[in-house]
Amino acid sequence: MKTQVAIVGGGPGGVASAISLANKGIQSVIIEKDQFPRFHIGESMTGECGGLVRKLGLETEMLQRQYPVKHGVRVYGQSSENTFWIPVMKRSDEGELEETTTWQVRRSDFDKMLLDKAKSLGVPIINGKATGVIQANDSTVTGVEVRLENGEVEMIESEMVIDASGQATFLSNIGVAGNKDRGKYDRQLALYAHVTGAQRDEVDNTLIFYEKKNHWGWFIPIDDETVSIGIVAPTDYYKSYGETPEEFFKRKLHSFHPEITRRVANLESIGEVHASSNYSYHIKEFTGKGFICVGDSHRFIDPIFSFGVHFSITEGMMAADAIEAYLADGQGREAENPFAELQSHFELGQDSIEDLVDCFWGNPFAFTFFAHQRYREDIIDLFAGRVYQKNPSPGLAALRTVNAQIAEQNMTVSAD
Amino acid sequence: MNTEQILERFIVDELLLGAGAEQIGVDDPLVSSRVLDSLGLLRMVTFIEERFGVTIEDGELIPDNFETIRQITEMIASKQPTSAD
């Protein structure tokens, strides 16, 4: 079959691309290997992401589903008294910060709602696994090879391919996009489950618990009854206990942090315990002739501040804008990489969040001082997902100053 | 009161709320001994800036710089004009 844009992956990144393209009158096809609904984590949305979901025309559906409304993120330090609060805020037309809200969602349900929306706009969903690409002589990507559920192979010819395959990193794996570098947080293990009967606050928000460097947990309400709880620790630390993921998770729930212990005292049920390991990576060349990777398919940074869905949806929509310009006037078609500018734009956003995360782990004291006091508004902007400013805000510059200092110290230490 | 005394009073009265030691020596460890938790440290920075009219730079926000009253005093002194008080 033929289409204008072949999209690999029917998660939020793929669907955001498809809906945006459809709104521009550009035809696309989504290739998805799993049957929806399917389990996924990444359940807390940033403020800007909430705004984009509204922009995609989904506000009514979101409200009908009554997802827990998120007003902000509370980070608990080692003691319960030592917390900080980052409210979800937007910028008014005059540039003033104003309170707003976003959502926390059950991803199986949210992702299916998104995919159904794309279907309703006439986007075909092909159930199958992308196994390769079609390439022209100059290596321009001109389509996707798909193994269908019945074992047949279908060639989908297209003018563009969007890789929204998430952690499967489809185009990198087949050597079209660049190599996958291990990120800074690659020796981590996350164990998580959906629980019921947890003690919730009067107003549901995303809670993060800091135990010590690289040991943290999350508590995200995803519907009336269910809360997603996750515990993250270095893989070696987990292995040293010789426990199954389930044993480790259940024991840790009651010993990890007083603020989790208090909330799980009377749990009714603990769903299946899932585990993800080694989950941080960076693919530096992820756009090129005929292709763009969005979201997790090119980069995954420490997920502590909930930017997964944010980057998928934001980048999916930006990819659609770039493709519209490219298809309309062949803009940059002669260039070695017609999407080089888009690529650095995506990196600008992800770099800002990596700076935020690096400072949080590297110097929590400086981080907290910035977040509480000195650069409160700039940090609120970063948490909200306003991460594409060409000139860094004073707060982001300060994070970078501190990170550079930490990197220098680490070098001195390793040289000793 | 000199700078050292002002800092000691602030720690004992405001941060420890009289629940900790009555006196703190100029070389007693504050951070590594956990006399000050991170929240205490944050309040200390704000107090120093307001009380002494100096700015702690972004790059100086390292717990080690606040390890003892003597160290903090020296940092403050290095930021103040050397001429008459």
mmCIF file of all heavy atoms in Angstrom, chain A residues 376-397:
data_model
loop_
_atom_site.group_PDB
_atom_site.id
_atom_site.type_symbol
_atom_site.label_atom_id
_atom_site.label_comp_id
_atom_site.label_asym_id
_atom_site.label_seq_id
_atom_site.Cartn_x
_atom_site.Cartn_y
_atom_site.Cartn_z
ATOM 1 N N ARG A 376 12.632 29.993 41.291
ATOM 2 C CA ARG A 376 11.403 29.224 41.391
ATOM 3 C C ARG A 376 10.604 29.231 40.073
ATOM 4 O O ARG A 376 10.154 28.209 39.603
ATOM 5 C CB ARG A 376 10.552 29.757 42.539
ATOM 6 C CG ARG A 376 9.257 28.989 42.748
ATOM 7 C CD ARG A 376 8.784 29.021 44.186
ATOM 8 N NE ARG A 376 7.534 28.286 44.338
ATOM 9 C CZ ARG A 376 7.444 26.973 44.421
ATOM 10 N NH1 ARG A 376 8.536 26.232 44.332
ATOM 11 N NH2 ARG A 376 6.274 26.375 44.564
ATOM 12 N N GLU A 377 10.454 30.407 39.477
ATOM 13 C CA GLU A 377 9.638 30.494 38.253
ATOM 14 C C GLU A 377 10.281 29.734 37.100
ATOM 15 O O GLU A 377 9.591 29.079 36.324
ATOM 16 C CB GLU A 377 9.419 31.959 37.864
ATOM 17 C CG GLU A 377 8.565 32.705 38.876
ATOM 18 C CD GLU A 377 7.866 33.919 38.274
ATOM 19 O OE1 GLU A 377 8.203 34.292 37.132
ATOM 20 O OE2 GLU A 377 6.984 34.481 38.948
ATOM 21 N N ASP A 378 11.598 29.820 36.999
ATOM 22 C CA ASP A 378 12.275 29.121 35.906
ATOM 23 C C ASP A 378 12.151 27.606 36.076
ATOM 24 O O ASP A 378 12.001 26.873 35.093
ATOM 25 C CB ASP A 378 13.769 29.499 35.870
ATOM 26 C CG ASP A 378 13.971 30.978 35.531
ATOM 27 O OD1 ASP A 378 13.032 31.583 34.975
ATOM 28 O OD2 ASP A 378 15.053 31.514 35.822
ATOM 29 N N ILE A 379 12.217 27.156 37.317
ATOM 30 C CA ILE A 379 12.109 25.705 37.561
ATOM 31 C C ILE A 379 10.674 25.252 37.295
ATOM 32 O O ILE A 379 10.445 24.179 36.729
ATOM 33 C CB ILE A 379 12.559 25.349 39.003
ATOM 34 C CG1 ILE A 379 13.991 25.830 39.266
ATOM 35 C CG2 ILE A 379 12.421 23.847 39.258
ATOM 36 C CD1 ILE A 379 15.098 25.159 38.477
ATOM 37 N N ILE A 380 9.707 26.082 37.672
ATOM 38 C CA ILE A 380 8.301 25.766 37.360
ATOM 39 C C ILE A 380 8.121 25.634 35.842
ATOM 40 O O ILE A 380 7.452 24.730 35.355
ATOM 41 C CB ILE A 380 7.350 26.840 37.956
ATOM 42 C CG1 ILE A 380 7.268 26.665 39.477
ATOM 43 C CG2 ILE A 380 5.954 26.778 37.323
ATOM 44 C CD1 ILE A 380 6.501 27.763 40.196
ATOM 45 N N ASP A 381 8.751 26.533 35.102
ATOM 46 C CA ASP A 381 8.671 26.468 33.636
ATOM 47 C C ASP A 381 9.234 25.144 33.110
ATOM 48 O O ASP A 381 8.654 24.522 32.226
ATOM 49 C CB ASP A 381 9.450 27.625 32.997
ATOM 50 C CG ASP A 381 8.630 28.909 32.931
ATOM 51 O OD1 ASP A 381 7.384 28.813 32.890
ATOM 52 O OD2 ASP A 381 9.229 30.000 32.904
ATOM 53 N N LEU A 382 10.359 24.725 33.663
ATOM 54 C CA LEU A 382 10.951 23.470 33.195
ATOM 55 C C LEU A 382 10.037 22.287 33.517
ATOM 56 O O LEU A 382 9.779 21.431 32.668
ATOM 57 C CB LEU A 382 12.333 23.256 33.833
ATOM 58 C CG LEU A 382 13.453 24.180 33.333
ATOM 59 C CD1 LEU A 382 14.705 24.017 34.191
ATOM 60 C CD2 LEU A 382 13.790 23.880 31.873
ATOM 61 N N PHE A 383 9.528 22.258 34.747
ATOM 62 C CA PHE A 383 8.631 21.152 35.124
ATOM 63 C C PHE A 383 7.378 21.126 34.253
ATOM 64 O O PHE A 383 6.816 20.086 33.989
ATOM 65 C CB PHE A 383 8.245 21.254 36.609
ATOM 66 C CG PHE A 383 9.177 20.501 37.511
ATOM 67 C CD1 PHE A 383 10.364 21.079 37.948
ATOM 68 C CD2 PHE A 383 8.889 19.205 37.925
ATOM 69 C CE1 PHE A 383 11.247 20.387 38.768
ATOM 70 C CE2 PHE A 383 9.761 18.499 38.752
ATOM 71 C CZ PHE A 383 10.942 19.093 39.179
ATOM 72 N N ALA A 384 6.941 22.324 33.831
ATOM 73 C CA ALA A 384 5.740 22.386 32.999
ATOM 74 C C ALA A 384 6.035 21.915 31.583
ATOM 75 O O ALA A 384 5.127 21.630 30.815
ATOM 76 C CB ALA A 384 5.209 23.817 32.964
ATOM 77 N N GLY A 385 7.318 21.851 31.233
ATOM 78 C CA GLY A 385 7.666 21.399 29.892
ATOM 79 C C GLY A 385 7.959 22.537 28.931
ATOM 80 O O GLY A 385 8.011 22.333 27.728
ATOM 81 N N ARG A 386 8.175 23.756 29.450
ATOM 82 C CA ARG A 386 8.579 24.853 28.560
ATOM 83 C C ARG A 386 10.101 24.799 28.451
ATOM 84 O O ARG A 386 10.827 25.415 29.221
ATOM 85 C CB ARG A 386 8.072 26.193 29.115
ATOM 86 C CG ARG A 386 6.562 26.360 28.935
ATOM 87 C CD ARG A 386 6.048 27.687 29.427
ATOM 88 N NE ARG A 386 6.000 27.748 30.874
ATOM 89 C CZ ARG A 386 5.025 27.250 31.627
ATOM 90 N NH1 ARG A 386 3.998 26.634 31.076
ATOM 91 N NH2 ARG A 386 5.061 27.354 32.942
ATOM 92 N N VAL A 387 10.532 23.996 27.490
ATOM 93 C CA VAL A 387 11.945 23.606 27.455
ATOM 94 C C VAL A 387 12.617 23.919 26.122
ATOM 95 O O VAL A 387 13.689 23.424 25.853
ATOM 96 C CB VAL A 387 12.090 22.094 27.752
ATOM 97 C CG1 VAL A 387 11.650 21.781 29.180
ATOM 98 C CG2 VAL A 387 11.261 21.243 26.787
ATOM 99 N N TYR A 388 11.982 24.733 25.305
ATOM 100 C CA TYR A 388 12.541 24.948 23.966
ATOM 101 C C TYR A 388 13.058 26.363 23.748
ATOM 102 O O TYR A 388 13.177 26.809 22.621
ATOM 103 C CB TYR A 388 11.503 24.580 22.904
ATOM 104 C CG TYR A 388 11.174 23.104 22.920
ATOM 105 C CD1 TYR A 388 9.984 22.645 23.465
ATOM 106 C CD2 TYR A 388 12.067 22.168 22.407
ATOM 107 C CE1 TYR A 388 9.700 21.284 23.492
ATOM 108 C CE2 TYR A 388 11.794 20.807 22.437
ATOM 109 C CZ TYR A 388 10.606 20.375 22.976
ATOM 110 O OH TYR A 388 10.328 19.040 23.013
ATOM 111 N N GLN A 389 13.348 27.103 24.852
ATOM 112 C CA GLN A 389 13.866 28.458 24.688
ATOM 113 C C GLN A 389 15.301 28.408 24.168
ATOM 114 O O GLN A 389 16.136 27.684 24.712
ATOM 115 C CB GLN A 389 13.838 29.217 26.028
ATOM 116 C CG GLN A 389 12.458 29.698 26.433
ATOM 117 C CD GLN A 389 11.532 28.569 26.868
ATOM 118 O OE1 GLN A 389 11.983 27.499 27.224
ATOM 119 N NE2 GLN A 389 10.227 28.804 26.832
ATOM 120 N N LYS A 390 15.575 29.196 23.148
ATOM 121 C CA LYS A 390 16.928 29.225 22.564
ATOM 122 C C LYS A 390 17.947 29.721 23.590
ATOM 123 O O LYS A 390 19.032 29.169 23.718
ATOM 124 C CB LYS A 390 16.959 30.133 21.316
ATOM 125 C CG LYS A 390 16.484 29.408 20.045
ATOM 126 C CD LYS A 390 17.670 28.967 19.212
ATOM 127 C CE LYS A 390 17.403 27.976 18.101
ATOM 128 N NZ LYS A 390 16.154 27.325 17.922
ATOM 129 N N ASN A 391 17.574 30.794 24.324
ATOM 130 C CA ASN A 391 18.464 31.281 25.365
ATOM 131 C C ASN A 391 18.019 30.714 26.703
ATOM 132 O O ASN A 391 16.880 30.919 27.103
ATOM 133 C CB ASN A 391 18.429 32.816 25.421
ATOM 134 C CG ASN A 391 18.906 33.422 24.123
ATOM 135 O OD1 ASN A 391 19.924 33.000 23.568
ATOM 136 N ND2 ASN A 391 18.135 34.370 23.607
ATOM 137 N N PRO A 392 18.910 30.045 27.398
ATOM 138 C CA PRO A 392 18.511 29.434 28.667
ATOM 139 C C PRO A 392 18.072 30.485 29.682
ATOM 140 O O PRO A 392 18.663 31.572 29.738
ATOM 141 C CB PRO A 392 19.773 28.703 29.129
ATOM 142 C CG PRO A 392 20.899 29.270 28.342
ATOM 143 C CD PRO A 392 20.321 29.795 27.056
ATOM 144 N N SER A 393 17.074 30.176 30.457
ATOM 145 C CA SER A 393 16.636 31.068 31.538
ATOM 146 C C SER A 393 17.754 31.086 32.589
ATOM 147 O O SER A 393 18.589 30.183 32.616
ATOM 148 C CB SER A 393 15.352 30.526 32.159
ATOM 149 O OG SER A 393 15.595 29.245 32.728
ATOM 150 N N PRO A 394 17.756 32.118 33.481
ATOM 151 C CA PRO A 394 18.780 32.141 34.546
ATOM 152 C C PRO A 394 18.768 30.841 35.361
ATOM 153 O O PRO A 394 19.818 30.354 35.764
ATOM 154 C CB PRO A 394 18.367 33.335 35.402
ATOM 155 C CG PRO A 394 17.584 34.220 34.482
ATOM 156 C CD PRO A 394 16.902 33.315 33.497
ATOM 157 N N GLY A 395 17.579 30.273 35.580
ATOM 158 C CA GLY A 395 17.485 29.036 36.362
ATOM 159 C C GLY A 395 18.165 27.871 35.663
ATOM 160 O O GLY A 395 18.902 27.097 36.282
ATOM 161 N N LEU A 396 17.926 27.749 34.364
ATOM 162 C CA LEU A 396 18.551 26.656 33.607
ATOM 163 C C LEU A 396 20.069 26.871 33.552
ATOM 164 O O LEU A 396 20.851 25.921 33.698
ATOM 165 C CB LEU A 396 17.959 26.576 32.193
ATOM 166 C CG LEU A 396 18.510 25.476 31.283
ATOM 167 C CD1 LEU A 396 18.398 24.105 31.933
ATOM 168 C CD2 LEU A 396 17.778 25.476 29.926
ATOM 169 N N ALA A 397 20.470 28.135 33.390
ATOM 170 C CA ALA A 397 21.911 28.427 33.378
ATOM 171 C C ALA A 397 22.535 28.029 34.712
ATOM 172 O O ALA A 397 23.644 27.494 34.754
ATOM 173 C CB ALA A 397 22.143 29.911 33.089
#
